[in-house]
Amino acid sequence: MKLTDFKALSFDCYGTLIDWETGLWRSLQPLVERSRIDRETALTTYGLLEPEQEHETPTLPYRDILARV
């Protein structure tokens, strides 16, 4: 198989090319410092809340979903 055999290539950026968990964790620091929530709990909770927010506001830009969650 050669690269020229393809008309288009697609890449999953989040989690593959972009370490979004580290960026999200760093952004959450001001909120979680006082509560002493650990990284795994914070990211798991975010992972549960994000789809709920996306369902409630399907036309909201992703950056605004991040801010709300």
Side-chain angles (χ1 to χ4, degrees), residues 44-54 69:
T44 298
T45 302
Y46 178 86
L48 295 171
L49 296 174
E50 180 187 31
E52 290 178 16
Q53 184 64 56
E54 289 173 326
V69 174

Side-chain angles (χ1 to χ4, degrees), residues 14-58:
Y14 286 118
T16 304
L17 300 176
I18 298 170
D19 180 9
W20 68 268
E21 285 184 353
T22 297
L24 182 57
W25 175 242
R26 287 180 183 158
S27 297
L28 290 172
Q29 288 309 294
L31 298 172
V32 300
E33 276 182 344
R34 290 183 232 141
S35 63
R36 297 183 185 215
I37 294 173
D38 63 273
R39 177 182 166 126
E40 185 175 338
T41 301
L43 295 177
T44 298
T45 302
Y46 178 86
L48 295 171
L49 296 174
E50 180 187 31
E52 290 178 16
Q53 184 64 56
E54 289 173 326
H55 180 74
E56 289 177 24
T57 55

